[in-house]
Amino acid sequence: MINMKTNDDRTGFEKLSTTVFSEISMAIQSLAGEIASLIRERADKGQTVVMGLATGSTPVPLYRELIRMHREDKLSFENVITFNLDEYYPLEPGHPESYHRFMHEQLFDHIDIPADNIHIPCGNCSREEVFGKCADYEAAIEAHGGIDIQILGIGRTGHIGFNEPGSSLSSKTRLVTLDSITRSDAAKDFLGESNVPRHAITMGIGSILAARKIYMLAWGRSKAEILRKAVEEDPQESVPASFLQSHGNVHVITDEAAAVELTRNKYPWLVGFPEWTAGLIRRAVSDLSLKLGKPLLKLVDKDYQENGLADLVTEHGPAYNLNIKVFNELQHTITGWPGGKPHTDDQHRPERAEPAHKRVVVFSPEPLDDMLAMAGTLNRLVTQGHEVTVAYLTSGNLGVPDGEVRSVSELILEAGYSDPDSLAVKVSNDLEQKGAFDQDSASIRKLKGIVRRNEARASLEICGLRSCNVKFLDLPFYEHGKYRQFTTGKDDVSIVKALLEEKLPHQVFFTGASADPSSVNSKSFEVMKEAVEQLADESWITDCYFWQYATGNKEWEVDQIDMAVPCSPDELAKKIQSIYQHRSQMSQVPLMQSKHKEIWEQTQDRNRDTASRYDSLGLAEYEAIECFGKWK
Ligand code: GLP
């Protein structure tokens, strides 16, 4: 779907040199190769290399590749000096979420870098010491001759290091206050937002810009909007990464998902002469209609000509032909029969009419992902007589706050089930001994998983699905892992494969293809994709339709929708009720103190927004719409 062709005109939009890779591994190989060459070149001359390093999930694949090069290609780091961008404050270096610990676990412990060459801002110095320590940090960078290569990620607020919006161009290493979005993004790592430190020490934007060469990396759909701002908008304090534009040697490296919002991909007709595929025509025409606030069928040639679409209307016009073509295509995405309408002409329907009763498998990375995206569709599939199985790939137990299992275990104990070997007793003992930031014991994780199973069953029951049709796969990558550090393997794939072989589905619903690569959604997709690839030669799989729902709360663009399933007001209310069963996932922040919307409110907005886009395009006006893209 992404136009990868190089086009010189994009320089008019992109103010940072940006390379989009179809595979993250290719991006990493090229970057790690360059770093390794510099390290070797300097080592031959008896010189050092000074690297500026970042944390977060973004640079992890780079660190893994450097470790591999150390082990397999004998790359030595003895001449490498590192400066990390930042550290939470206050935080002890031994804390599980400290960047000290992260860097040692993810890189330093696996290479031969001398301990004295490693520099990370102090998270545990006293307030009185902070100022002096920050000045010392700057002085140490300078004493080593400045940074040769600086690696950066980008936060959803546009921060680099922990330079939040409002940071100045000349800022140096200092103590900062974290943005609420940044703290909520870190909430999962710290097992709750209230545990996330309010401050951090970070190298300043000025310190970063002093590096000789800078690489900013961005993976996954959730970075797309902020990346576009950093790359295409003028430098501004509200997007600190945009200040990189003042540096002459910055290279942005992204995957396709993070690059979708760049003009070259989103509006390729503005940067050159794209090939007008059916998908691109749909995007251009629907975008024009939404932008002008005019229904599709009322667009005229002049609208096309005045909005950068003169080529399109010349090649494929007149306007009315384009309008009706796109109108019909979108009209044909709408169906109240997500499993296909039996015994009808299905030429213009998203799903096949036959077989009338289909076997359907819905994969959900964690309980609730399915409900947010498709509770209404699920309800229809069940009522329309299809054999639906919902398979939760992971238990989701990492997402349950301690308070929830505490009250469950107390309830069980109070009901008299207090056998010393029982799970409730073990959990209540373990909770007593658990420090604020300790990982969960096996018993706590087990009970948390049970909490989520119960919520999932209650939720599905509202959609008419009986618990015998619910599978909890509890994939090992999740049960043995922690956030941002999941590694999938053969065991995960064989579990998913076995389910597919047992069900032989006609339809599969899934998500996660463009999610942040370290996320549960992305890992779940990776496993499902591998399982499907291993089964690719089976005849049933060639007949199976794969329907993708969007990850998180970011809905598909109109041109990406292949099936739009409307919800009536009653169906939407039922959907909200089913989401509400996932009590442990509701906000832990008192709503009065937060602008944050509850998860069901966000979903309601998302589905209503899709309906209103269809309405604005001149199609029928529905209360809400759930939508899906076909995986080809
Ligand atoms: C943290 C770090 C940043 C990092 C950002 C993005 O805030 N301080 O240096 O770039 O997170 O994190 P991730 O790579 O996990 O998306």
Side-chain angles (χ1 to χ4, degrees):
M1 204 171 280
I2 285 180
N3 185 328
M4 292 293 293
K5 92 176 172 194
T6 317
N7 197 314
D8 289 337
D9 282 354
R10 77 180 147 184
T11 47
F13 292 90
E14 293 178 18
K15 298 174 179 128
L16 287 171
S17 145
T18 304
T19 312
V20 183
F21 286 84
S22 56
E23 300 284 338
I24 294 177
S25 58
M26 285 161 65
I28 291 303
Q29 268 173 27
S30 124
L31 176 55
E34 188 184 325
I35 295 172
S37 304
L38 184 67
I39 295 176
R40 288 193 172 112
E41 199 184 298
R42 294 269 175 95
D44 289 346
K45 295 188 210 154
Q47 296 172 347
T48 56
V49 174
V50 184
M51 295 281 309
L53 298 181
T55 46
S57 25
T58 306
V60 169
L62 172 66
Y63 297 155
R64 291 199 178 149
E65 177 61 9
L66 292 175
I67 294 168
R68 189 202 63 74
M69 288 175 142
H70 171 66
R71 288 185 181 151
E72 295 173 20
D73 306 341
K74 302 199 170 38
L75 176 66
S76 168
F77 291 80
E78 280 187 337
N79 66 327
V80 177
I81 293 163
T82 63
F83 285 90
N84 260 85
L85 281 167
D86 45 16
E87 177 59 287
Y88 289 104
Y89 183 88
L91 203 66
E92 290 300 320
H95 185 285
E97 293 310 321
S98 84
Y99 287 164
H100 275 78
R101 185 146 166 192
F102 177 94
M103 285 309 299
H104 280 90
E105 284 176 1
Q106 297 298 325
L107 182 65
F108 300 144
D109 288 353
H110 313 283
I111 57 177
D112 61 345
I113 186 167
D116 288 348
N117 289 8
I118 297 169
H119 304 83
I120 303 177
C122 68
N124 62 342
C125 52
S126 68
R127 272 280 178 151
E128 294 70 42
E129 286 175 308
V130 168
F131 188 77
K133 292 273 183 191
C134 290
D136 293 349
Y137 205 71
E138 289 284 335
I141 298 176
E142 215 162 291
H144 283 98
I147 291 171
D148 291 303
I149 297 183
Q150 174 68 57
I151 305 296
L152 297 176
I154 178 170
R156 274 203 305 143
T157 59
H159 70 217
I160 44 178
F162 268 134
N163 292 283
E164 298 287 20
S167 302
S168 78
L169 187 64
S170 56
S171 51
K172 296 287 177 196
T173 304
R174 67 204 188 288
L175 183 69
V176 293
T177 300
L178 297 178
D179 189 284
S180 59
I181 298 182
T182 302
R183 292 186 67 234
S184 88
D185 281 352
K188 276 188 169 180
D189 306 324
F190 280 86
L191 310 172
E193 195 170 323
S194 54
N195 298 330
V196 182
R198 293 188 178 274
H199 303 283
I201 292 179
T202 182
M203 276 168 57
I205 297 183
S207 343
I208 293 170
L209 289 175
R212 283 181 274 283
K213 192 166 194 179
I214 301 175
Y215 282 100
M216 184 167 81
L217 319 180
W219 323 127
R221 180 68 187 82
S222 64
K223 299 289 170 74
E225 274 82 12
I226 197 68
L227 187 78
R228 188 200 63 76
K229 286 189 180 170
V231 170
E232 296 194 353
E233 287 187 7
D234 287 339
Q236 50 193 298
E237 277 192 359
S238 58
V239 185
S242 65
F243 283 138
L244 295 171
Q245 293 173 24
S246 64
H247 190 285
N249 201 1
V250 176
H251 304 269
V252 177
I253 294 184
T254 81
D255 63 355
E256 292 181 350
V260 285
E261 290 289 320
L262 295 181
T263 305
R264 67 163 119 164
N265 291 325
K266 195 158 185 188
Y267 310 111
W269 53 91
L270 296 180
V271 298
F273 304 96
E275 189 192 328
W276 284 109
T277 58
L280 200 57
I281 292 178
R282 211 211 281 191
R283 179 172 338 154
V285 178
S286 56
D287 192 74
L288 181 68
S289 158
L290 292 170
K291 183 172 140 198
L292 300 183
K294 264 188 177 186
L296 286 167
L297 296 177
K298 287 192 179 174
L299 293 171
V300 293
D301 286 1
K302 199 161 161 274
D303 295 325
Y304 284 83
Q305 279 151 354
E306 287 177 355
N307 288 281
L309 293 168
D311 294 336
L312 174 62
V313 82
T314 309
E315 265 182 60
H316 297 275
Y320 190 76
N321 289 4
L322 284 161
N323 299 349
I324 195 81
K325 172 183 158 57
V326 173
F327 180 89
N328 283 338
E329 275 177 25
L330 289 175
Q331 180 70 39
H332 296 153
T333 62
I334 304 173
T335 182
W337 298 83
K341 187 171 185 181
H343 322 304
T344 44
D345 176 6
D346 58 9
Q347 214 191 331
H348 294 301
R349 291 181 172 275
E351 248 304 343
R352 299 150 294 169
E354 311 302 333
H357 296 289
K358 295 190 173 62
R359 289 184 298 275
V360 182
V361 172
V362 176
F363 283 116
S364 182
E366 289 186 30
L368 184 58
D369 295 321
D370 52 342
M371 289 294 114
L372 296 176
M374 55 178 293
T377 303
L378 241 164
N379 190 36
R380 283 188 184 235
L381 287 166
V382 175
T383 26
Q384 289 166 3
H386 302 289
E387 185 191 319
V388 182
T389 305
V390 174
Y392 294 108
L393 294 158
T394 74
S395 68
N397 57 16
L398 290 169
V400 179
D402 286 353
E404 283 293 325
V405 275
R406 184 169 289 118
S407 67
V408 171
S409 61
E410 277 166 8
L411 195 123
I412 303 174
L413 294 177
E414 204 174 328
Y417 297 96
S418 49
D419 176 334
D421 289 333
S422 72
L423 186 61
V425 171
K426 280 189 195 147
V427 168
S428 107
N429 292 341
D430 290 355
L431 282 173
E432 207 134 294
Q433 281 160 28
K434 189 182 167 197
F437 305 118
D438 291 349
Q439 297 296 314
D440 287 342
S441 67
S443 304
I444 297 177
R445 273 189 87 159
K446 189 168 178 194
L447 191 55
K448 285 185 171 180
I450 293 175
V451 167
R452 294 210 72 178
R453 280 180 187 222
N454 272 298
E455 293 171 346
R457 283 192 208 100
S459 179
L460 286 171
E461 207 177 295
I462 293 174
C463 296
L465 204 78
R466 290 171 39 228
S467 55
C468 57
N469 294 327
V470 188
K471 303 272 179 202
F472 296 96
L473 304 184
D474 291 351
L475 292 188
F477 86 81
Y478 184 92
E479 292 309 309
H480 304 142
K482 58 181 272 195
Y483 280 125
R484 297 180 200 251
Q485 293 176 34
F486 300 115
T487 311
T488 59
K490 283 189 192 137
D491 291 355
D492 302 301
V493 176
S494 30
I495 295 173
V496 172
K497 209 170 132 188
L499 179 82
L500 287 169
E501 283 173 315
E502 181 198 329
K503 296 291 167 191
L504 306 177
H506 301 103
Q507 266 194 326
V508 168
F509 288 83
F510 71 99
T511 190
S514 54
D516 164 0
S518 64
S519 65
V520 177
N521 280 8
S522 176
K523 294 292 171 197
S524 300
F525 171 72
E526 205 174 287
V527 172
M528 193 218 65
K529 185 166 170 252
E530 179 59 30
V532 170
E533 275 168 11
Q534 289 186 16
L535 295 165
D537 293 337
E538 306 283 323
S539 61
W540 62 268
I541 217 154
T542 22
D543 289 338
C544 181
Y545 279 23
F546 287 82
W547 292 105
Q548 229 182 134
Y549 54 91
T551 296
N553 239 339
K554 180 77 195 150
E555 195 52 278
W556 303 120
E557 299 291 340
V558 173
D559 65 286
Q560 296 171 311
I561 301 173
D562 295 308
M563 176 155 73
V565 182
C567 296
S568 68
D570 282 350
E571 285 169 322
L572 184 63
K574 198 167 171 181
K575 171 171 184 166
I576 304 305
Q577 199 194 345
S578 66
I579 292 173
Y580 219 79
Q581 304 307 308
H582 293 266
R583 207 174 68 112
S584 71
Q585 302 306 296
M586 296 301 145
S587 170
Q588 307 300 313
V589 186
L591 283 182
M592 295 297 286
Q593 289 173 22
S594 149
K595 283 189 212 135
H596 170 82
K597 283 192 173 180
E598 274 291 357
I599 205 153
W600 60 266
E601 290 174 290
Q602 294 172 29
T603 307
Q604 182 168 275
D605 289 354
R606 161 180 161 179
N607 294 157
R608 281 190 174 147
D609 178 62
T610 310
S612 92
R613 277 189 288 157
Y614 267 69
D615 180 28
S616 309
L617 290 162
L619 294 134
E621 184 180 353
Y622 294 101
E623 172 71 11
I625 291 182
E626 293 178 340
C627 48
F628 307 89
K630 198 164 173 195
W631 195 35
K632 286 134 195 149

